[in-house]
Amino acid sequence: MKRFLFAVLMVFVSLPARADVDIKEFTSPGGINVWLLEEPSIPMVALELRFQGGASLDAEGKRGATNLMVGLLEEGAGDLDSQGFAKASESLAARYGYDVSDDTVAISSVFLSENRDEAMELLRLSIIEPRFDEASLERVRGQVLSVVRSEETDPNKIAGKTFKAIAFGDHPYGSGLNGTVESVSSLTRDDIVAAHQAALAKDRMVVSVVGDITAEELGPMLDNLLGALPEKGAPLPPKTTPNLTGAVEVVEFDTPQSVAVFGQLGIERDDDDFFAAYLLNTILGGGGFESRLMEEVREKRGLTYGVYSYLVPKDLAALYMGSVASANDRIGEAVQVIQDEWARMANDGVTLDELNKAKALLTGAYPLRFDGNGAIAEIMVGMQVQGLPIDYIKTRNDKVNAVTLDEINRVASELLKPDALQFVIVGKPEGV
């Protein structure tokens, strides 16, 4: 019955929401800063936690430890083994999610209001008292190793890893967060415990909650949930500057279609010109079939099914990247067209019509992202991680619309560096 009720509520909670949400910021009795959006009309709560640092906190020689640790958080906690934890969450009709990126560990939960005490306690166990049983460790290790081996034969993964290695070298960003066969195989339970202590700590934590709960109710619950975490985690790695020279690197791989990843230096999320750069990218390669790259590479020349570009403002470095795939005998032409379009936009900028269409696309699509408590909580926690103000949701579209033609064309000339646009091509490209 609870599972049925949860499913029904998820249907109602997924109805489009407005982007004028009223977020409340408060501090729990135990000192935890929280962003809360109260929504009493639906008896559900969505909770999002982020711990900054993520897989970049892997100790030297222990690459993949944080990823493996996060994969074990729901594999038994407290007195519950892996199956016991799964049964307990199912009986509560609660959903838990655990993920890791280069910059964060993400933990989420959605549960019914009537079960919130039990659901929060189960979440607490997974965060504070994970078992890291040897049997679970070996099972999840096997799953990770399967992924790592699969990536070794995936042209897209090979291209991405090669690009990262070129751009970042020995920095944590320079290798895959899953680790290698050698590093993952050598990880011990002690390494996993150390990764847990390094990554999950109060000094790098942000919390967002949306749903049927008040600040007075939530504060003590969060203190119980997170109060036993270490005060400080491992030191964050230093910021770095990608080493991109504009070269074209070819990785030979036996496939009829080559895959290319390309990129240059990007722009920080807190840069005053970020919204101009965001609109610029929408016009160049981030706007789907309306983008210049799609028009020139696919529509006019039929060189690919898709070509995309995207801003990557990571915590410790900023990139501006893209990707394309084409037949071996046509990838060279695709690369040349991308380089030409990069240069054309840098030199000539965009038109007023292109700018207005990009603004309409970005502002029109934004409210559609607020399609449920979980989605809103995820947006809110992302705002905290990025250091955005609490009223950002209300002002975001105004910031997009405020970008002028002169501003975006100045940013185009300053940001786009055609001579430094690095390519990694995996396949058997001809004429490159």
Side-chain angles (χ1 to χ4, degrees):
M1 179 61 185
K2 288 181 178 178
R3 280 180 293 173
F4 173 76
L5 177 59
F6 188 89
V8 170
L9 288 172
M10 288 302 288
V11 171
F12 283 102
V13 82
S14 66
L15 294 175
R18 298 179 303 168
D20 58 350
V21 295
D22 186 18
I23 303 170
K24 177 188 300 184
E25 183 175 14
F26 74 96
T27 302
S28 73
I32 297 172
N33 184 259
V34 190
W35 283 15
L36 170 65
L37 174 62
E38 295 185 28
E39 180 48 73
S41 63
I42 301 172
M44 290 181 62
V45 177
L47 180 148
E48 291 283 346
L49 305 173
R50 294 294 183 274
F51 296 89
Q52 292 179 282
S56 295
L57 296 174
D58 282 344
E60 186 175 355
K62 306 295 182 182
R63 194 59 169 152
T66 305
N67 176 65
L68 184 53
M69 178 274 293
V70 172
L72 286 163
L73 290 179
E74 59 182 333
E75 295 292 331
D79 294 331
L80 300 171
D81 62 12
S82 178
Q83 290 187 343
F85 186 89
K87 289 179 180 178
S89 62
E90 183 178 6
S91 69
L92 293 171
R95 297 185 181 181
Y96 301 100
Y98 307 84
D99 199 8
V100 62
S101 70
D102 281 338
D103 292 327
T104 60
V105 170
I107 298 176
S108 61
S109 180
V110 180
F111 46 85
L112 298 170
S113 300
E114 66 182 72
N115 297 333
R116 68 188 187 193
D117 291 340
E118 297 91 338
M120 288 281 270
E121 174 58 18
L122 193 59
L123 181 61
R124 186 195 71 81
L125 289 175
S126 73
I127 296 172
I128 305 298
E129 301 181 38
R131 291 165 63 108
F132 301 139
D133 291 332
E134 288 293 342
S136 296
L137 172 57
E138 292 309 315
R139 184 177 65 258
V140 177
R141 188 204 307 273
Q143 294 168 355
V144 173
L145 288 173
S146 178
V147 171
V148 171
R149 293 189 176 101
S150 175
E151 290 177 346
E152 293 175 348
T153 59
D154 183 333
N156 291 284
K157 297 296 184 182
I158 295 170
K161 286 187 175 183
T162 304
F163 187 93
K164 291 175 68 173
I166 292 171
F168 297 113
D170 293 335
H171 190 275
Y173 284 173
S175 59
L177 61 82
N178 288 327
T180 65
V181 170
E182 293 75 18
S183 67
V184 174
S185 298
S186 67
L187 292 172
T188 66
R189 185 181 186 279
D190 287 344
D191 295 329
I192 302 305
V193 171
H196 180 261
Q197 292 293 307
L200 304 188
K202 294 179 182 177
D203 65 330
R204 61 197 45 181
M205 177 179 68
V206 293
V207 185
S208 286
V209 179
V210 177
D212 180 29
I213 194 167
T214 66
E216 292 72 22
E217 295 167 329
L218 179 61
M221 296 179 74
L222 289 176
D223 289 340
N224 181 63
L225 177 71
L226 304 167
L229 285 173
E231 293 296 326
K232 291 186 177 182
L236 294 171
K239 287 201 169 189
T240 184
T241 300
N243 179 31
L244 301 172
T245 63
V248 177
E249 180 86 8
V250 176
V251 180
E252 289 285 339
F253 192 82
D254 190 11
T255 175
Q257 177 171 269
S258 291
V259 171
V261 170
F262 52 92
Q264 60 151 78
L265 296 181
I267 185 169
E268 301 286 349
R269 182 61 185 81
D270 60 357
D271 193 291
D272 290 341
D273 289 328
F274 182 81
F275 280 99
Y278 192 37
L279 283 159
L280 180 75
N281 175 63
T282 301
I283 297 166
L284 179 56
F289 286 98
E290 299 299 318
S291 70
R292 284 193 185 182
L293 290 181
M294 192 72 85
E295 173 68 18
E296 296 296 328
V297 182
R298 172 178 166 151
E299 298 302 317
K300 287 186 178 181
R301 296 171 176 84
L303 299 174
T304 184
Y305 285 111
V307 55
Y308 312 96
S309 65
Y310 37 91
L311 298 173
V312 189
K314 301 169 80 66
D315 285 357
L316 307 175
L319 289 170
Y320 189 0
M321 296 191 65
S323 61
V324 67
S326 187
N328 285 328
D329 63 348
R330 309 198 74 187
I331 189 68
E333 184 181 358
V335 168
Q336 185 62 59
V337 174
I338 292 168
Q339 291 171 327
D340 291 345
E341 286 304 307
W342 220 263
R344 183 164 74 93
M345 184 167 280
N347 295 327
D348 302 335
V350 309
T351 67
L352 181 59
D353 182 59
E354 286 177 317
L355 176 58
N356 288 337
K357 285 180 178 178
K359 287 180 177 180
L361 175 65
L362 294 183
T363 58
Y366 189 59
L368 302 180
R369 296 174 57 191
F370 297 80
D371 61 350
N373 286 5
I376 297 172
E378 190 169 358
I379 290 170
M380 286 165 51
V381 83
M383 289 165 53
Q384 290 174 275
V385 168
Q386 295 172 26
L388 298 174
I390 200 167
D391 66 346
Y392 173 79
I393 293 174
K394 298 179 180 179
T395 64
R396 183 264 196 186
N397 278 356
D398 292 337
K399 295 180 187 298
V400 171
N401 285 324
V403 175
T404 67
L405 186 63
D406 286 343
E407 286 174 332
I408 193 172
N409 285 334
R410 173 184 58 79
V411 170
S413 66
E414 294 173 354
L415 176 62
L416 298 175
K417 305 294 182 184
D419 293 339
L421 189 61
Q422 185 99 21
F423 282 80
V424 172
I425 305 174
V426 178
K428 289 192 172 183
E430 300 176 17
V432 175

